[in-house]
Amino acid sequence: MFTIIGLMGSGLLLGYLSRKRNLNVVHRIITWLIWILLFLLGTEVGGNKMIMEGLHTIGFEALIITLAAVGGSILGAWGLWLFISYRYTKGGRE
């Protein structure tokens, strides 16, 4: 844990010290590393017999959680929209 925190802190410090430099190449490197990590994660999951056998259960639970999260976000955004529109109309200023 301390190693991860130390790496994050040193990355923050290095980024802060080199913020005036053009570091566009870093974005490309990060993108490629993310693609490689996703590929390796896929090979690891595909090679794990227990995960592959329970994939239908895991997938169904993930679908339910995703639908609940999206539904909650929609309800929250709708409620915020109603609150803001009521607050900044004639009804809210009186």
Side-chain angles (χ1 to χ4, degrees):
M1 178 117 175
F2 290 118
T3 304
I4 294 171
I5 293 171
L7 286 170
M8 290 279 294
S10 61
L12 284 170
L13 180 64
L14 184 64
Y16 180 77
L17 294 175
S18 61
R19 66 181 181 263
K20 294 184 181 183
R21 293 182 175 200
N22 187 5
L23 299 175
N24 289 333
V25 71
V26 173
H27 298 290
R28 288 190 207 127
I29 293 171
I30 290 172
T31 301
W32 277 102
L33 288 174
I34 289 172
W35 284 110
I36 291 168
L37 285 172
L38 286 171
F39 175 77
L40 292 174
L41 177 66
T43 58
E44 191 70 26
V45 169
N48 190 329
K49 188 176 180 181
M50 287 178 54
I51 292 176
M52 292 306 291
E53 288 175 354
L55 196 58
H56 63 283
T57 305
I58 295 170
F60 180 71
E61 290 174 2
L63 177 67
I64 297 298
I65 292 170
T66 301
L67 291 175
V70 169
S73 296
I74 290 171
L75 285 174
W78 179 65
L80 181 62
W81 177 260
L82 288 177
F83 175 76
I84 290 172
S85 63
Y86 175 75
R87 183 155 173 92
Y88 293 105
T89 59
K90 284 186 176 182
R93 292 187 181 183
E94 294 178 354

